[in-house]
Each structure stands twice: as C-alpha cells, then as structure tokens.
Amino acid sequence: MDQISTRQSLPAEPRDFGFYVDGAWVPAAERAVFTRHSPAHDVPVTRIPKCTEGDLDMAVDAARRAFDDRRWSGLSGQARAAVLLKAGALIRARAEEIAYWETLENGKPIAQARGEVLGCADMYEYASGLARSLHGDSFNNLGDGMMGLVTREPVGVVGIITPWNFPFLILCERVPYILASGCTIVVKPSEMTSATSLILAQILTEAGLPDGCMNVVTGSGSTIGQAMAEHPRIDMLSFTGSTAVGRRVVEAAGKSNFKKLGLELGGKNPQVVFADADLEDAADGVAFGIAFNTGQCCVSGSRLIVERSVADRFAEMVRDKLSRAVVGDPLDEATQIGAITTEAQNRTILFYIEKGKEEGARLICGGGALDMGQGQYIAPTIFGDVTPDMVIARDEIFGPVLTILPFDTLDEAIAIANDTDYGLAASVWTKDIDKALVVTRRVQAGRFWVNCTLAGGPELPLGGFKQSGWGREAGKYGVEEYTQIKSVHIEIGKRRPWIA
Ligand code: NDP
C-alpha cells in the first residue's frame, strides 16, 4: 500500500446522546443507558438511552401528528426537494464527523465510512428529484362521460429498523426516498450503532424538515424493535436484518394492524467465475466481495462458484490478494479491513470456521481470530473443496469467510448458484456475453453484477428474491414502495340515472 498511514484519536470520554423526537433531543434523564465500546479498541465511545415503550409511543405520536396534519405530505414536491437537497449538503459538510462515529461504533475502516457517508449525501440529492417527479396515471379512454385517475399517496407513518453493519448507509437508502414520498418516520437503529442515526435526525431538522417527521428511538431489538413491529399506529415497517427476526416481524405485523412491510434479509450470494474471465480482475473482485466490511455485508459474495479447470489457480490468486489487504485499526487511513462489529457476531464467525474444518473443507488461508493487541479481528478465510450440502455452503456466515464450490458446466453453475433459500445478490465473471446474460437471467437474485461486485448507488433498486425479503428500496422503486395507490373515477356531466 502506498497510502500514508495517519490515524485519528479516540475520544477522551464517551459521547452522551439523547434520543430524538418531534424535532428535538430528549435527554436520557432517568432512563437506563447502554454504553457502546469500540469493537476495535475496547474503549467506551458512546452512551445511548434505552428507550421505553412509552418513549416509542411518544415518537409514534409525533410522527402521526406530523403526517395527519399534512405539514410534510401537503407540501409540494419542490418544497420537499429543497429540504432533501439541503440535507445532502449538510451531510457532506459533516461527513468527517459522521464517519468518525460510524467507525468507532462499527469498527469499519474510516476511509470506507467516509465513502459511505458521501454516497449517502448523493442519495438525498437524487431523491430530491424523485420528490418532484413522483406521479400517478390517468385514463382518458373511459368514454366521454368518465375520466380515470390513479394517484399515489404516502403510506403514512413508517418505522425503520436497521442493523449494525451499515448503520448510516442502510438508513440513507431509505430515509430520503420515504421523505420524498411524503411519509413521516420513526427509526430504531441497532443498539450497537445508534450514533449516526441520531446525528442524521438533527441534520434533517437543520435542513428544514418539519418537526415530527423524523424521530429516532434507541434501545434493544427485543423490546423497542418488537414493539415497533406490533405498534398499531405505524402504517409500514422497513426492516433490515436477519431472516429469523424478519419472520418475527411478519408475525407481529399480522397480529397487530397488518402494517405493510419492506424486508431486506440475509443472503448467501454466489459469485460465478468462468475460466474465460479476466481472472486477475475477478480475483480482485472476489477478494473485495468477501472482505469488504469484514464480510458483514448482506450482499457479500460468500460462495465462489468457479469453473473447475481454473479453480486451484483462481483460489491461489484470491488468497494472494487477501494476504495483501491491510487489516488493522479502523481509525488508520490505510486500513482496508477493520474489526468485527459485535461480540456475538465474532463468536458466530469463529463457530462457522470451526464447522468448516470439522466438515472436512480444505482451509486455504485464515482460519481464526487475529491478535491485534486489542479489539476483535478475524483473518480473511478461504475454504476449498466445499460441497453444496456443507453447513458453511448453506448458512449465512456474515464474516470474511469464502467457500469455494467448483463446477464443470454452465447449467451446473446455475444450479449451485440457485441452491439456496436466499436470493439477495449474485455476480458473474466472464468475457463471454452470452454466458453473462444466461447466468444473469437464470440466477434468482434481486441484485446482479456482471464483471463487478457490490456496485451500487441511488438510482438502482435494492432487495431480494426468495427468503431474502420483500419489496425494494432506493431508486424510483424505493419511493413508490412507500406510496399506496388510489384509483379515482370522475363523472363528466350528468350521471345516467339508476332509477329513471
Ligand atoms: P438482527 O436481525 O438481529 O437485527 C436487525 C435489527 O433488528 C436490529 O436493529 C435489531 O436490534 C433489531 N431486532 C432484533 N430483534 C428484534 C425483534 N424481535 N423485533 C424487531 N426488531 C428486532 O440482525 P443483525 O443486526 O444481527 O444483522 C445481521 C443480519 O442482517 C444478517 O443476517 C444480514 O444478512 C442481515 N442484513 C441484511 C441486509 C439487507 O439489506 N438485506 C443488510 C444488512 C444486514 P438490536 O441490534 O438493537 O438488538
């Protein structure tokens, strides 16, 4: 690496946060407080209130009032766009601060966090255009006596539950689009990573978002998250997290008010590499796809499905790439792979690494924890000779663990790629356009990459097939998801009487 290694300092004291309701901070006061330790440095970095169900009610009431009195949905698209544009500018201006707290709570490299935050600013800028272009449909073919309109109306109060792997990014893949639609919001971030969601709420107020349109309550998933899923006055819930908790959210929505759900769940994503690919490029992409965000990435390319004739050579190329990735202190500008975010996830990844060894997969590199003197780190790990029935080939590990499954024919590659309950994302690497298109068509996944991986941006939608979720976020699809459709028949002139 030729980057100059510079490192920011740790905070002298943990930063105290309140939670955010109706355009203002609510101090933690007599509530219990959760102290978050940096997973890379083992020091306390933030103190976050453990909100009560009463606090959640207060936030939902604020969002409900803000929606029902039309202070936001009643504005023109132009006025909503102005707020979103300002929010984008404020996020850019505070990118360093947001990236810093994201890194401290999550353990991801600061350079990566900064890139994510700047990408988020772009989401607000893009969604501002969608606020202005959102529209319905008209039917001028119903005869001279009738006109038909189809209007899109905001769903109402939207709850958002986010995980700890991309706390700011996942939030911003939703918030600007939801606001563009005219809805109001209550967010519950993962208790592990609440700081940047709280900072965002304040930024939106500064950008001119009316009070009550963006509220953030903090606390654990089993209390506040579950209460949100059950809440009768939340009209829609966007949940991002594990498939297991997603199932609980579906049950809770069914038992309460049948709230509309958007679900972004787990993945076990195939990367199909043909022998005719630019193997150097593909090896770099596969290494990136499994080690980015320490593999704690729902779209991580965790199953390498590689043509048998090049499998050993290609595995060696990926191993070589990963051996040169800079693992270390995420506050260091040169770091590419940071810490594992939570102790529970650290245990899970180590469990699966041991499972792979027990199952008889061939350990090519890594294979356990990395001792960096402090914090929790895991060496990028590759298993060869993996068979599709092995647990490490089927379960989402959510860590830097790559499983290699060789194939001989195109049909076999597609069958292995689809042999999973998930359908979140997939990549194909080949110079043959026909193969690329056949695989793109036949592999079941909501996001697809040809000769690249983990590409994204505000324009293209996100979401999964099969048990990876329901609905889409981002792009125009992401705004439409938060609207409901009303059809309107308009009589022109006098009605033909029912009773003459
Ligand atoms: P979890 O499902 O455990 O948690 C996700 C969120 O749900 C957190 O905010 C959590 O709160 C909350 N939560 C926990 N229990 C409940 C409950 N009973 N009711 C409502 N909310 C609850 O996932 P992880 O945080 O462990 O994240 C990893 C998982 O998320 C992986 O499986 C990954 O694939 C998936 N994921 C999917 C993404 C996608 O876009 N498809 C993106 C990122 C992750 P708390 O943490 O405070 O307990």
Side-chain angles (χ1 to χ4, degrees):
M1 296 288 305
D2 52 6
Q3 285 127 302
I4 298 165
S5 174
T6 54
R7 184 185 174 283
Q8 296 193 33
S9 333
L10 288 163
E13 286 286 318
R15 178 169 168 184
D16 284 305
F17 282 88
F19 60 107
Y20 203 86
V21 174
D22 218 0
W25 291 104
V26 184
E30 71 280 2
R31 290 167 188 85
V33 164
F34 172 74
T35 302
R36 174 63 177 154
H37 285 67
S38 161
H41 309 96
D42 300 329
V43 299
V45 287
T46 53
R47 282 194 288 250
I48 307 285
K50 278 184 166 293
C51 290
T52 62
E53 291 192 25
D55 296 332
L56 173 63
D57 284 342
M58 182 167 72
V60 173
D61 287 347
R64 190 77 264 164
R65 276 194 305 276
F67 184 75
D68 291 344
D69 69 16
R70 302 184 62 79
R71 71 185 79 161
W72 181 242
S73 65
L75 297 183
S76 66
Q78 184 191 30
R80 289 209 289 271
V83 172
L84 293 171
L85 279 174
K86 183 82 193 294
L90 290 173
I91 290 169
R92 275 183 207 287
R94 290 175 67 174
E96 282 308 318
E97 176 200 351
I98 299 168
Y100 179 69
W101 292 104
E102 190 85 335
T103 287
L104 287 179
E105 286 195 334
N106 171 280
K108 68 177 65 198
I110 186 83
Q112 178 193 323
R114 186 183 301 118
E116 287 171 11
V117 173
L118 293 174
C120 290
D122 193 31
M123 307 256 179
Y124 288 80
E125 290 154 1
Y126 184 77
S128 70
L130 296 172
R132 301 193 70 169
S133 58
L134 181 65
H135 65 276
D137 208 347
S138 63
F139 285 79
N140 204 23
N141 59 349
L142 306 182
D144 275 349
M146 189 68 77
M147 163 80 106
L149 294 181
V150 179
T151 60
R152 285 192 175 273
E153 298 186 2
V155 167
V157 174
V158 177
I160 307 178
I161 297 177
T162 53
W164 42 255
N165 59 342
F166 291 98
F168 198 68
L169 179 67
I170 288 177
L171 186 62
C172 294
E173 285 169 347
R174 287 147 184 75
V175 167
Y177 301 93
I178 296 172
L179 291 178
S181 77
C183 293
T184 60
I185 298 173
V186 178
V187 179
K188 192 216 85 75
S190 169
E191 190 167 43
M192 301 291 143
T193 52
S194 302
T196 56
S197 301
L198 291 161
I199 293 171
L200 176 68
Q202 189 186 30
I203 285 178
L204 287 169
T205 299
E206 282 168 33
L209 185 70
D211 294 348
C213 294
M214 170 74 169
N215 309 276
V216 180
V217 285
T218 49
S220 78
S222 52
T223 53
I224 298 301
Q226 184 72 29
M228 278 176 80
E230 290 169 2
H231 209 291
R233 294 195 304 284
I234 292 178
D235 301 304
M236 178 168 175
L237 183 64
S238 166
F239 171 81
T240 308
S242 60
T243 298
V245 176
R247 240 179 259 289
R248 248 176 275 158
V249 165
V250 171
E251 277 168 28
K255 282 190 192 145
S256 55
N257 60 341
F258 279 116
K259 56 180 63 64
K260 186 177 175 184
L261 292 176
L263 302 173
E264 294 238 6
L265 308 172
K268 187 75 179 173
N269 311 294
Q271 299 229 40
V272 179
V273 177
F274 287 92
D276 65 13
D278 176 334
L279 292 183
E280 172 62 28
D281 204 21
D284 190 72
V286 168
F288 173 63
I290 189 60
F292 178 69
N293 214 50
T294 52
Q296 299 174 117
C297 189
C298 53
V299 289
S300 117
S302 50
R303 285 188 301 146
L304 169 58
I305 300 169
V306 56
E307 197 159 349
R308 196 179 305 275
S309 59
V310 295
D312 287 344
R313 178 154 65 98
F314 190 71
E316 175 50 29
M317 292 169 79
V318 178
R319 189 206 60 75
D320 175 60
K321 287 272 178 189
L322 288 174
S323 72
R324 288 185 284 129
V326 180
V327 187
D329 183 343
L331 284 174
D332 190 318
E333 285 292 336
T335 294
Q336 291 175 298
I337 300 178
I340 303 299
T341 305
T342 71
E343 282 175 28
Q345 190 57 30
N346 201 50
R347 281 194 298 276
T348 301
I349 300 167
L350 293 174
F351 164 83
Y352 278 112
I353 290 175
E354 290 312 309
K355 190 82 193 162
K357 293 175 189 168
E358 275 167 32
E359 287 182 305
R362 179 169 53 92
L363 185 65
I364 295 175
C365 67
L370 275 180
D371 184 1
M372 309 293 285
Q374 59 183 2
Q376 53 204 16
Y377 292 83
I378 291 181
T381 297
I382 304 178
F383 280 110
D385 300 336
V386 176
T387 53
D389 57 317
M390 286 183 185
V391 171
I392 57 165
R394 308 203 71 79
D395 287 12
E396 182 184 46
I397 298 175
F398 219 57
V401 183
L402 183 67
T403 52
I404 303 184
L405 300 120
F407 71 88
D408 292 302
T409 66
L410 183 142
D411 282 343
E412 191 188 357
I414 291 169
I416 298 172
N418 283 333
D419 184 17
T420 168
D421 291 336
Y422 296 114
L424 198 56
S427 290
V428 60
W429 302 83
T430 174
K431 284 191 191 142
D432 181 334
I433 184 71
D434 294 338
K435 277 186 203 158
L437 289 176
V438 169
V439 175
T440 303
R441 275 205 178 136
R442 287 174 51 195
V443 171
Q444 297 160 319
R447 296 175 75 183
F448 216 94
W449 295 292
V450 178
N451 292 327
C452 61
T453 193
L454 307 188
E459 295 89 354
L460 272 63
L462 324 164
F465 284 21
K466 303 199 281 187
Q467 293 185 30
S468 289
W470 292 346
R472 292 294 176 269
E473 308 285 355
K476 82 178 174 75
Y477 312 89
V479 179
E480 289 173 358
E481 203 69 43
Y482 294 93
T483 64
Q484 48 197 342
I485 283 172
K486 183 177 279 176
S487 62
V488 185
H489 283 90
I490 306 166
E491 184 86 25
I492 301 171
K494 199 165 160 51
R495 274 183 69 243
R496 205 174 65 199
W498 183 45
I499 300 171

